[in-house]
Amino acid sequence: MHCKNMCTLSIVAGLYRLASLIIPKRTRLDTCCAGQLVWLEEAAAYFPAKLHQTADLDPAGAYLFACHPHGITSFSSWLSFATEGTGFQHLFPGLKMHVLTLTTNLRMPFMREYLLLHGLSDVSRETCLKILNRGKGHSITIAIGGATESLYASPGTMNLVLRRRTGFVRVALQTGASLVPVIHFGENELYDTIRGSSTSGLRRFQIWMEHTVGITIPIFWGQGAVTPIGFLPKRSPINTVVGAPIVVPRFAGDIKSPEGVKLTREYHNKYVKALQTLWDTNKLKFSKDSVDLQLVE
């Protein structure tokens, strides 16, 4: 009987794994905005979290929202763009936002269902192109620094992994989507962390995990529900500032050709300058410490 139960469990687990690899590619794209849950206004009030608009966005266009920093959990991106907790549709009516996350996150039992419920999709190049080519307001949100940037997260810092991140610019060029810089002021304040030096055993282990498994393991803690220390984010203000769009032309040629590489470099430079300007314009208003934006990678 025990053997039979184990065989049944193995079959079910195998089928679930197969479904998570094959089926969700379509499901994730077709459940856009399923997570626009108004009740999460209460979650926004906890910090409190606010969304700030600096320019109007034409609902007929397509946009790639590039978010910084990743922080430990990218909580700000989820709350601002995967829910109606901060009033996204009120500020940007007509946009159909798809928040993207690591494919690894969508292969975890139960976590996958939770993320799909909130309208998240995987951040593969295939998914990005498919969504943005729909046009008519279909847009995506990406935490550009990814899991690597979580290893730099610490209160009182704004260390970004951006210098070599050009994939999002190539996606914009291939689809003609405008690049929208986004800064989450306060994301790095939600958790305290232990950061090892670049040569420490801790950092070497974290990098090995990222390269081997595709995830990072930052050492962090916040506050508890009934104890001073736990894994809930700290009650610290979050201010998400959405910058003006950078219009990007659609490039129909080979994105890896010399011309494509030149355009990628050109618009990456434009993006970095726009992001720096957005930071300089708002840091005194929303950053409680005198922090400089640093491109660490």
Side-chain angles (χ1 to χ4, degrees), residues 57-135:
L57 299 182
D58 183 355
Y63 304 93
L64 192 161
F65 282 54
C67 300
H68 313 271
H70 181 283
I72 295 297
T73 60
S74 280
F75 198 89
S76 302
S77 291
W78 172 75
L79 189 58
S80 298
F81 303 122
T83 81
E84 272 302 299
T86 56
F88 177 80
Q89 283 297 324
H90 175 72
L91 294 176
F92 303 100
L95 292 192
K96 305 173 184 67
M97 182 57 72
H98 304 252
V99 178
L100 307 186
T101 186
L102 286 173
T103 303
T104 305
N105 292 334
L106 289 155
R107 291 177 179 168
M108 299 179 185
F110 306 110
M111 173 67 80
R112 169 177 170 268
E113 279 64 38
Y114 181 81
L115 295 176
L116 290 175
L117 172 66
H118 288 82
L120 273 73
S121 306
D122 73 295
V123 76
S124 66
R125 177 177 173 274
E126 174 190 358
T127 299
C128 293
L129 296 177
K130 189 170 184 178
I131 293 173
L132 292 175
N133 279 325
R134 289 178 172 183

Side-chain angles (χ1 to χ4, degrees), residues 166 169-170 173 255 260-269:
T166 57
V169 180
R170 291 195 294 271
L173 284 165
I255 197 65
V261 171
K262 180 181 178 182
L263 280 172
T264 299
R265 187 181 303 114
E266 175 186 343
Y267 279 91
H268 186 272
N269 289 337

Side-chain angles (χ1 to χ4, degrees), residues 146-167:
T148 301
E149 198 169 87
S150 69
L151 300 179
Y152 291 97
S154 182
T157 66
M158 184 58 72
N159 297 323
L160 305 185
V161 175
L162 177 60
R163 193 177 295 120
R164 293 179 294 173
R165 298 289 171 108
T166 57

Side-chain angles (χ1 to χ4, degrees), residues 42-48 186 189-191 222-224 232-238 288:
E42 294 298 324
Y46 167 83
F47 297 99
E189 314 304 317
L190 301 183
Y191 291 98
Q223 66 183 47
L232 291 175
K234 294 185 292 184
R235 300 190 72 170
S236 181
I238 297 173
K288 62 183 179 181

Side-chain angles (χ1 to χ4, degrees), residues 2-62:
H2 176 72
C3 181
K4 182 179 180 180
N5 290 339
M6 288 300 295
C7 288
T8 301
L9 181 61
S10 298
I11 292 172
V12 171
L15 290 174
Y16 183 95
R17 172 63 172 166
L18 183 63
S20 71
L21 294 175
I22 299 175
I23 297 175
K25 286 286 184 179
R26 183 175 300 167
T27 306
R28 295 171 206 152
L29 298 180
D30 294 340
T31 55
C32 168
C33 303
Q36 304 296 337
L37 304 178
V38 177
W39 64 267
L40 281 163
E41 290 177 359
E42 294 298 324
Y46 167 83
F47 297 99
K50 297 180 181 179
L51 183 62
H52 305 271
Q53 176 191 33
T54 64
D56 292 329
L57 299 182
D58 183 355

